[in-house]
Amino acid sequence: MVLTIEEIMDFSITHFNSIFDNATDKVSKFESWAQMEKALYHLASQDRAGKKDATLISPAVYKYNSTRSNDNVVEWSRWCAVDVDDHEFKGDIKSELVSKFGHYTFCCYSTASSKSDAPKFRLCFPLTSKVGSSKIKHFWFSLNQELGKLADAQTKDLSRMYYIPGRYANANNFIFSNTGNFVDPHALMVKHEYTEKP
């Protein structure tokens, strides 16, 4: 398979050992979305007791030798994630997501609190470009509008962390992917106007 220039540009993940970890020096880089997606699938195959047994990841890139805070975010790498906790599905999750958002490439994985009757999951999207810190709030708003306000509105801060995928005990665990177009941050921000609240 031949990868396009879009697919082989740099993707990076900043890792945190726990919600209390604020060091920003643990970073993994991937040459392509396929490589990053493979890493997510590997994590999803690992048995975990619960959240306390898991690390966290973020698309945020931080100032050199800084700590985790919104003020220290330089940009988001070429991916983003949204949490979905309260959406009521009328059928198969994968079928519904592909039906609604199948024009986008994404990786969907369950969270530790996911249950069969109340699925909770994370959608990770590759981007056509990085998003500078001054544009992140507008981009996140635009993405959530594009997704029909599917995402948890509380998960929009610049330095947001996400628990890694895993085979969590007593949870409804799943992971699947879809192949489409990468999300274009600029196009979404043009499409969805945003006025930041004072």
Side-chain angles (χ1 to χ4, degrees), residues 17-168:
N17 295 330
S18 71
I19 58 173
F20 305 108
D21 182 10
N22 68 352
T24 59
D25 58 342
K26 298 178 289 295
V27 179
S28 296
K29 291 185 178 292
F30 304 92
E31 290 183 357
S32 67
W33 170 251
Q35 284 188 355
M36 179 174 158
E37 188 178 53
K38 183 178 179 181
L40 293 176
Y41 271 79
H42 174 72
L43 291 170
S45 69
Q46 308 296 308
D47 290 328
R48 304 187 188 282
K51 287 184 177 180
K52 292 182 179 179
D53 189 36
T55 57
L56 300 96
I57 57 176
S58 174
V61 177
Y62 294 87
K63 295 175 183 176
Y64 176 72
N65 202 28
S66 66
T67 55
R68 189 181 74 88
S69 74
N70 288 339
D71 290 340
N72 288 332
V73 174
V74 175
E75 62 192 11
W76 276 2
S77 179
R78 293 188 58 245
W79 68 281
C80 66
V82 294
D83 283 331
V84 182
D85 289 339
D86 302 313
H87 184 73
E88 183 176 338
F89 288 89
K90 299 176 181 177
D92 177 66
I93 295 175
K94 183 176 181 179
S95 297
E96 184 172 337
L97 290 176
V98 170
S99 175
K100 288 184 176 181
F101 314 122
H103 52 295
Y104 289 128
T105 291
F106 62 78
C107 180
C108 175
Y109 69 85
S110 55
T111 62
S113 54
S114 177
K115 303 297 181 186
S116 297
D117 59 345
K120 299 180 186 295
F121 57 89
R122 188 157 295 125
L123 283 170
C124 296
F125 295 93
L127 310 178
T128 59
S129 65
K130 299 176 181 179
V131 182
S133 59
S134 65
K135 300 291 185 182
I136 290 175
K137 288 183 179 180
H138 185 178
F139 167 62
W140 193 95
F141 169 83
S142 301
L143 178 64
N144 200 24
Q145 293 296 308
E146 189 73 6
L147 299 178
K149 299 181 181 179
L150 186 71
D152 181 352
Q154 303 303 313
T155 61
K156 59 185 178 182
D157 54 308
L158 279 62
S159 59
R160 177 73 181 179
M161 300 184 295
Y162 304 94
Y163 282 103
I164 58 174
R167 212 155 44 202
Y168 292 97

Side-chain angles (χ1 to χ4, degrees), residues 177-188:
S177 299
N178 183 70
T179 301
N181 299 315
F182 285 17
V183 172
D184 184 336
H186 177 72
L188 286 192

